[in-house]
Amino acid sequence: MADALTGIQSIRDLAIENKRLFIRVDFNVPMDGERVTDDTRIREALPTIKHAMERGAKVILASHLGRPKKGPDPKFSLVPAGAKLAELLGAEVHVPEDCVGDAAKKVVYDLREGQVCLLENLRFHPEEEKDDPAFAEQLKSLCDVYVDDAFGSVHRAHASVHALPKMMRERGCGFLLEKEIAALGNLVLKPDKPYVAVLGGAKVSDKIAVVEALLQQVDALIVGGAMANTFLAATGKDMKKSLVEADKLALARTIVENARDKGVALVLPVDAVVAKSIDAASGTTCSVDAIPDGEMMLDIGPKTVELFSKRFADAKSVFWNGPMGLFEKEPFSAGTFGVARALAASPAFTVVGGGDSAAAVHAAGEDVAKGMKHISTGGGASLELIEGKKLPGIEVLRSDPS
Ligand code: ADP
Ligand code: MG
């Protein structure tokens, strides 16, 4: 059976010694003025960068940062990210003032083996987001070998992840991207069964495509979070003041019917943590059949955590996206953290995708995060991959791109 990585070379297998190696990284880090407030993404790229340095490549890193509107804007400079990287590597990191042209060439051509530079924000050129071949050609003139390690960007056909690798004969993936494709791609291609999906988060409307795709693949679909409110309302529960997407009730009913037809167990919460507002200092637990007037469901209750956890116990694969409640607020975090702990303890192949979901797992504790088999670094990209979509930045890396 085909493997998710079929036709994609790993940086391990590419001849990078003495070569000018372009590595597309994801340094789209949160910033406060000129300070990087969370360097996780930079740290996560270190194994690939260090590997390249140790093998004597001349390393050219490139990334986007934020959404600069028109041209260069110091607010979106990668200089602080470069300084952070230099600190983490204990090595000098040159940052030319532009990612293409003479400034970039000068720095790149001066690189010696094992040295690193970080090109300035790719999005200072609007051509990046347009997948512009002429812009890609300018990037190509800087390098001999291309490696993509920016999973968060592979669902977009942008020049640095699509037009550029398309032009490069020597191309492949870094360690981070390799891990993402192996974990998520193989969950789509050949999941060990029973395969259970846990979905939550803010809205049904954000996740329709994922729900529909997963219904074709999973043995059980577990729904929590605000998303469950709409499903519970669709099955006749009075959700009182809870957030319910009225225009998605019919769709939720269709999904319930489709699940039944397919023999997929659709598991909904049986109890809730409710309060009068999202700012309440505490919540009370009740059955989903008895939500008091004027109150809203803000988390799943303990019986639901237990019910969901039973499903994980005999699962072989689990994909989780979307928190089970308003976990950012302590009184409504127990459901999400309880599910996280149960998943971490499960011997199943457990994969977490989604920005807030990944944050929730880390907030549950580092031992919980370590218990997961894979925590995806890409929000949109991980969901699109789970939907079974072919992502432009991944397909282009194959030796025989489709
Ligand atoms: P992800 O980023 O992992 O894909 P989403 O963005 O879909 O997840 O949803 C995350 C948000 O949903 C969180 O901020 C969480 O507080 C919110 N949320 C989940 N359940 C509820 C709920 N019952 N009521 C209000 N907000 C909720
Ligand atoms: Mg989110």
Side-chain angles (χ1 to χ4, degrees):
M1 195 191 266
D3 194 86
L5 282 158
T6 299
I8 301 178
Q9 293 204 74
S10 156
I11 186 170
R12 231 179 277 114
D13 310 317
L14 291 164
I16 58 171
E17 289 77 6
N18 309 336
K19 297 283 170 56
R20 284 199 298 260
L21 170 66
F22 185 103
I23 308 180
R24 175 56 160 100
V25 288
D26 181 0
F27 283 0
N28 185 27
V29 287
M31 306 274 303
D32 179 12
E34 284 177 20
R35 201 170 62 86
V36 174
T37 54
D38 181 351
D39 62 7
T40 309
R41 287 182 169 161
I42 300 175
R43 287 177 188 277
E44 282 173 339
L46 292 178
T48 298
I49 298 170
K50 284 185 176 159
H51 173 90
M53 292 167 76
E54 279 158 19
R55 285 179 59 198
K58 300 165 181 172
V59 184
I60 308 159
L61 304 174
S63 177
H64 75 279
L65 175 67
R67 297 177 187 276
K69 284 286 170 295
K70 23 184 173 313
D73 179 344
K75 259 206 330 255
F76 297 103
S77 169
L78 278 165
V79 167
K84 184 47 101 179
L85 174 66
E87 184 190 315
L88 293 171
L89 283 176
E92 230 183 322
V93 177
H94 306 264
V95 184
E97 66 190 27
D98 196 359
C99 62
V100 289
D102 291 341
K105 275 190 187 143
K106 171 146 189 6
V107 170
V108 165
Y109 292 165
D110 280 350
L111 285 177
R112 287 192 304 273
E113 285 144 39
Q115 287 190 325
V116 182
C117 73
L118 169 63
L119 301 180
E120 190 45 283
N121 196 342
L122 292 158
R123 287 196 184 163
F124 285 173
H125 294 262
E127 297 91 335
E128 160 68 1
E129 291 183 73
K130 294 187 181 127
D131 203 23
D132 184 80
F135 175 65
E137 197 68 59
Q138 282 186 283
L139 293 172
K140 179 174 184 258
S141 71
L142 300 174
C143 61
D144 310 307
V145 182
Y146 174 92
V147 159
D148 193 352
D149 212 20
F151 180 64
S153 296
V154 292
H155 59 313
R156 305 186 178 112
H158 288 177
S160 64
V161 294
H162 186 255
L164 171 61
K166 209 164 143 188
M167 294 171 178
M168 299 290 298
R169 213 160 53 91
E170 299 299 322
R171 57 180 190 268
C173 62
F175 299 125
L176 200 55
L177 182 56
E178 185 177 33
K179 246 178 73 194
E180 294 276 9
I181 299 174
L184 291 156
N186 287 327
L187 212 45
V188 176
L189 284 180
K190 47 178 183 187
D192 282 334
K193 299 267 188 167
Y195 177 15
V196 174
V198 192
L199 292 179
K203 286 185 189 157
V204 178
S205 44
D206 289 345
K207 309 274 166 79
I208 295 168
V210 186
V211 176
E212 287 176 344
L214 284 171
L215 265 188
Q216 312 302 318
Q217 296 165 339
V218 299
D219 301 288
L221 181 63
I222 292 174
V223 181
M227 196 181 197
N229 298 350
T230 303
F231 276 91
L232 289 167
T235 56
K237 309 284 181 208
D238 186 349
M239 299 306 290
K240 302 288 167 65
K241 261 181 69 190
S242 306
L243 187 79
V244 170
E245 288 168 274
D247 60 332
K248 292 292 173 290
L249 287 171
L251 175 78
R253 266 181 224 116
T254 310
I255 292 169
V256 172
E257 279 161 26
N258 287 350
R260 195 182 303 133
D261 291 347
K262 291 202 155 303
V264 173
L266 183 74
V267 190
L268 297 176
V270 292
D271 61 347
V273 178
V274 298
K276 287 205 162 55
S277 91
I278 58 168
D279 299 314
S282 64
T284 51
T285 302
C286 64
S287 154
V288 292
D289 292 306
I291 299 176
D293 288 339
E295 306 227 346
M296 56 180 85
M297 175 161 176
L298 292 170
D299 193 13
I300 57 174
K303 288 203 179 97
T304 304
V305 173
E306 210 174 297
L307 175 74
F308 289 0
S309 302
K310 275 199 199 117
R311 290 278 171 175
F312 310 148
D314 55 16
K316 288 266 167 40
S317 315
V318 183
F319 175 69
W320 179 21
N321 168 266
M324 297 289 102
L326 186 68
F327 78 96
E328 296 90 342
K329 304 237 165 122
E330 197 275 328
F332 313 110
S333 61
T336 300
F337 293 168
V339 162
R341 278 193 294 271
L343 281 179
S346 157
F349 184 69
T350 45
V351 178
V352 182
D356 294 299
S357 309
V361 169
H362 287 289
E366 281 321 298
D367 52 326
V368 175
K370 278 204 189 76
M372 304 297 177
K373 301 297 183 293
H374 183 67
I375 301 175
S376 178
T377 53
S382 66
L383 291 183
E384 288 195 26
L385 207 52
I386 282 294
E387 275 170 45
K389 280 197 189 157
K390 300 253 181 260
L391 307 190
I394 293 178
E395 295 312 310
V396 76
L397 298 177
R398 297 193 202 276
S399 50
D400 192 9
S402 51

